[in-house]
Amino acid sequence: MKELLTGNEAVARGAYEAGVVYASAYPGTPSTEIMETIATYKGDIIAEWAPNEKVALESAIGASIAGARTLASMKHVGLNVAADPLFTFAYTGVNGGMVIISADDPGVHSSQNEQDNRNYAKFAKIPMLEPSDSQEAKDMVRYALEISEKYDTPVLMRMTTRVCHSKSLVELAERNNVPKKPYVKNLQKYDAVPAVAKILREKIEERLKKLEDFSNETELNFIEMNDSKIGVIASGVAYQYAKEVFKDGASYLKIGFSYPLPMKKIKEFASKVETLYVIEELDPFMEEQIKAAGIKCIGKEKIPAMGELNPDIIAKNLLGKENRVIEYDRSIVAKRPPVLCAGCPHRGFFYDLTKRKDIVITSDIGCYGLSSQPPLNAKDTSICMGAGFSMAHGAQKVFNKFNEKMKTVAVLGDSTFFHSGITSLLNAVYNKSNAVFCILDNRITGMTGHQENPGTGFTLQGDPTVITDIEKVVRALGVENVRTVNPLEISEMKDAMDWALSNEELTVIITKWPCVLKKLSQKDKDDFGDYKGLCYVDDNKCIGCKICIKTGCPALKYDKKLNKVSIDKTQCVGCKLCVQVCPKKAISKVGE
């Protein structure tokens, strides 16, 4: 039977069919749907959200050592977080097979950087697979687990955005319930103290030689001979693009197992074609190794080393052909940058911050990152998950040393606090910071699509669980100045921020209100009530001062001709932020 699946859904299906028993992840585009789909195989696979990628990988490592086939998935920057356990697990090797999915984001569609995680395979000295469509994505999970167990190594599988989210037909199969391997205590394998690690280090090099032999033999790397004037070596989705451009007018070496590279097979292929192109997204990962082996080829001289590839780019750069496109006046296209939703609880918090002077706002990765958009303009920095708190601490120390009248205000969300904000806060407590740390708790992991986290009360597979109380955690870490507020109440927010900025000690403000798009749990309803409704503007009172517009709410519209503001009924949820800022009391909530 065949089904139309995205690459992410296909990976999940591959895990199911290959007998994976345990899987863990932290959500992040473009990888999120892998674990959300695996979670549907409840009963066969234990699927969990972890607080961060390092914990996800470490949990999967434990499951592997216990003897089960395991999977950990993450977006590309998540592998940076998980790099510490990855490099040592590469030394120890596995018991049950282990595949690690890295979903790279060429083109920086939804990330803070663009990195080519194939380099991690070479760096950590582990094998790597690269699917080019959904069928391969499913099949390669099984291959990866078999290679993992045969060669005693974790295996990296690199997806990219276009493979993750594109759909193609996939042939389904039944689940292979691979028996769990027995756990055997083995300190010489799993206890990576220096005496053991030195021995394991040598074994890694022996393993890489065997893996290169496998790379030359495996059907994952195959040659398609057509016209010999042009030869193309390609991996991942770049292979599909090359086929679309050259069709049968070129010969191909399709690389599915891309580390270690099949150098014998590459030399054989190169000897049969006149001109050899290496087509790959982002870094010259294969090209550099091929050129280092003395094989003449053309790569990044013609193919861009940043951004997503597509057939048009390949056709233009290698064949000088430009495909016809529909021409239009780009100057009339309205710019629609992402903004905080109407009714977003973060808006009240940032509205207050916009009125503050002499502060540096160190933000983090999440919906609140959109606070940099006008008219709020309420953010100075954004580096990585958890960095907002750590950066605020470092910056505040410097401002204090040079007697500068500056305060740092750090901002992160509830899921980010659990991800890596806790340790940053602990560092600030330990090192006696006097910055202001703000945790915007909207009761869900917002930006990636409402995944559960330790504060929501539910596991990934829908089971009720313990709700971690953020204020109790903050106090347990040693913070004495803590206040939890409703961010939609401007006076309450202002009072809390006045108090925090005047404190000479570390202060934490927790804003607590559910994401406007969240499906409320019974506890949410008990805690926050049924507050949603609709606001309206009294035209007789509105003077067109536009103070309400400065909240940045997309439901508010200003008519220049009438010099009046109106409210879009399809967007407004009645949060009443605009009601509170209007100096003429021209805005009210229906029914109040």
Side-chain angles (χ1 to χ4, degrees):
M1 183 177 71
K2 290 186 177 181
E3 280 192 16
L4 193 61
L5 300 178
T6 65
N8 283 345
E9 292 167 339
V11 168
R13 181 69 191 186
Y16 167 76
E17 293 181 7
V20 165
V21 170
Y22 180 86
S24 185
Y26 182 80
T29 305
S31 68
T32 307
E33 298 84 4
I34 293 173
M35 198 55 58
E36 288 180 332
T37 308
I38 288 178
T40 64
Y41 298 112
K42 193 175 182 180
D44 293 305
I45 304 178
I46 302 164
E48 297 178 343
W49 289 130
N52 64 41
E53 297 84 356
K54 178 175 181 288
V55 174
L57 180 55
E58 290 165 345
S59 300
I61 289 172
S64 167
I65 291 174
R69 284 190 165 184
T70 62
L71 179 147
S73 70
M74 56 205 72
K75 68 178 297 176
H76 63 294
V77 289
L79 196 51
N80 302 334
V81 180
D84 194 5
L86 171 68
F87 278 67
T88 301
F89 192 48
Y91 274 40
T92 68
V94 305
N95 187 16
M98 153 84 80
V99 58
I100 302 159
I101 312 294
S102 169
D104 292 7
D105 186 18
V108 203
H109 294 288
S110 60
S111 308
Q112 64 269 42
N113 73 18
E114 181 183 74
Q115 63 188 51
D116 189 331
N117 277 8
R118 293 179 299 174
N119 294 298
Y120 268 111
K122 190 166 183 276
F123 196 7
K125 300 178 182 294
I126 59 175
M128 180 175 61
L129 277 64
E130 286 187 79
S132 64
D133 60 22
S134 297
Q135 181 70 58
E136 286 191 347
K138 192 207 79 164
D139 294 341
M140 283 189 180
V141 173
R142 175 175 61 81
Y143 279 117
L145 291 165
E146 291 172 354
I147 292 166
S148 173
E149 291 172 350
K150 181 177 180 181
Y151 292 95
D152 193 12
T153 176
V155 174
L156 185 65
M157 188 163 129
R158 186 220 194 193
M159 305 277 284
T160 56
T161 303
R162 214 48 54 186
V163 180
C164 288
H165 292 162
S166 297
K167 286 193 171 186
S168 59
L169 282 173
V170 176
E171 182 73 42
L172 305 185
E174 297 298 317
R175 177 173 169 86
N176 178 18
N177 285 306
V178 178
K180 173 189 168 300
K181 294 184 176 181
Y183 169 72
V184 178
K185 185 171 182 176
N186 187 346
L187 292 177
Q188 295 305 307
K189 177 172 169 60
Y190 298 119
D191 185 23
V193 294
V196 174
K198 288 177 182 175
I199 298 170
L200 296 175
R201 174 72 182 87
E202 293 179 6
K203 289 185 176 179
I204 275 194
E205 298 303 323
E206 295 170 6
R207 187 176 72 199
L208 281 175
K209 292 176 183 173
K210 294 176 183 175
L211 284 166
E212 183 171 352
D213 291 340
F214 174 79
S215 185
N216 281 298
E217 299 165 359
T218 178
E219 61 189 27
L220 295 168
N221 299 324
F222 59 88
I223 294 172
E224 300 172 14
M225 287 306 299
N226 300 304
D227 193 319
S228 62
K229 289 183 179 177
I230 295 176
V232 175
I233 298 176
S235 65
V237 75
Y239 165 73
Q240 303 288 359
Y241 297 155
K243 292 276 287 185
E244 188 171 332
V245 171
F246 292 103
K247 298 182 173 59
D248 292 338
S251 297
Y252 304 91
L253 172 49
K254 162 73 163 63
I255 301 292
F257 186 93
S258 49
Y259 190 77
L261 279 174
M263 209 52 77
K264 287 182 183 175
K265 192 172 282 186
I266 290 171
K267 287 179 179 176
E268 174 195 341
F269 180 69
S271 69
K272 295 178 179 176
V273 298
E274 293 179 23
T275 302
L276 179 61
Y277 294 120
V278 179
I279 303 176
E280 53 190 331
E281 277 191 315
L282 300 184
D283 292 349
F285 179 78
M286 295 189 297
E287 178 190 338
E288 286 182 349
Q289 295 178 68
I290 291 169
K291 286 181 173 175
I295 300 170
K296 188 178 178 182
C297 63
I298 298 169
K300 294 304 175 185
E301 303 97 314
K302 299 279 189 179
I303 301 294
M306 57 183 176
E308 270 197 303
L309 282 183
N310 62 44
D312 289 347
I313 294 172
I314 294 171
K316 180 179 179 181
N317 290 14
L318 298 187
L319 300 178
K321 294 181 179 178
E322 288 201 49
N323 292 330
R324 292 180 59 190
V325 295
I326 299 172
E327 295 296 336
Y328 61 95
D329 184 357
R330 296 177 188 274
S331 66
I332 63 173
V333 178
K335 295 180 179 178
R336 294 185 175 85
V339 295
L340 296 173
C341 301
C344 174
H346 301 336
R347 178 167 286 101
F349 170 80
F350 285 113
Y351 181 74
D352 181 84
L353 279 191
T354 61
K355 301 183 180 307
R356 308 284 172 172
K357 294 182 179 178
D358 299 328
I359 62 171
V360 174
I361 303 170
T362 55
S363 183
D364 224 296
I365 310 299
C367 295
Y368 38 89
L370 302 175
S371 64
S372 60
Q373 298 293 330
L376 296 173
N377 300 313
K379 186 176 74 170
D380 289 83
T381 67
S382 177
I383 298 294
C384 67
M385 297 283 280
F389 274 14
S390 309
M391 292 169 63
H393 166 66
Q396 191 64 63
K397 285 284 183 178
V398 171
F399 291 141
N400 294 346
K401 181 177 177 57
F402 290 91
N403 297 315
E404 291 187 52
K405 190 183 174 184
M406 293 289 286
K407 267 285 197 181
T408 53
V409 178
V411 182
L412 51 69
D414 48 340
S415 186
T416 312
F417 177 68
F418 295 125
H419 179 278
S420 47
I422 289 177
T423 47
S424 298
L425 179 56
L426 182 62
N427 174 62
V429 172
Y430 173 62
N431 288 299
K432 299 182 178 181
S433 180
N434 64 333
V436 177
F437 285 5
C438 303
I439 304 167
L440 310 190
D441 179 6
N442 63 0
R443 316 302 301 141
I444 202 72
T445 310
M447 183 165 264
T448 48
H450 288 195
Q451 290 75 33
E452 307 292 349
N453 66 49
T456 64
F458 294 93
T459 68
L460 168 60
Q461 293 184 310
D463 297 323
T465 187
V466 174
I467 297 177
T468 300
D469 187 305
I470 292 177
E471 181 170 335
K472 289 181 179 177
V473 172
V474 170
R475 291 188 183 279
L477 290 173
V479 182
E480 295 180 354
N481 304 305
V482 188
R483 194 178 284 187
T484 298
V485 299
N486 174 359
L488 293 175
E489 290 293 335
I490 289 180
S491 59
E492 187 178 345
M493 192 66 249
K494 180 179 182 303
D495 183 61
M497 192 56 71
D498 287 342
W499 165 75
L501 291 171
S502 65
N503 270 343
E504 295 300 321
E505 299 174 329
L506 176 64
T507 303
V508 173
I509 293 177
I510 303 166
T511 70
K512 191 172 182 179
W513 199 263
C515 170
V516 68
L517 302 177
K518 186 178 186 247
K519 181 181 179 183
L520 299 182
S521 66
Q522 186 56 52
K523 183 164 185 1
D524 289 332
K525 294 175 183 174
D526 294 342
D527 289 349
F528 304 104
D530 184 13
Y531 71 93
K532 292 187 179 179
L534 178 66
C535 292
Y536 68 97
V537 179
D538 184 339
D539 289 345
N540 295 320
K541 294 182 178 179
C542 179
I543 60 172
C545 65
K546 296 188 285 186
I547 289 177
C548 58
I549 296 292
K550 292 178 181 176
T551 64
C553 178
L556 294 165
K557 296 179 179 179
Y558 172 69
D559 189 313
K560 195 172 182 179
K561 291 181 179 177
L562 298 176
N563 191 31
K564 301 288 182 185
V565 169
S566 64
I567 293 178
D568 182 349
K569 295 179 180 178
T570 62
Q571 295 194 65
C572 178
V573 296
C575 74
K576 298 205 299 185
L577 193 67
C578 55
V579 173
Q580 297 171 71
V581 304
C582 178
K584 295 297 180 181
K585 307 298 181 187
I587 307 176
S588 304
K589 188 171 183 177
V590 175
E592 292 184 358

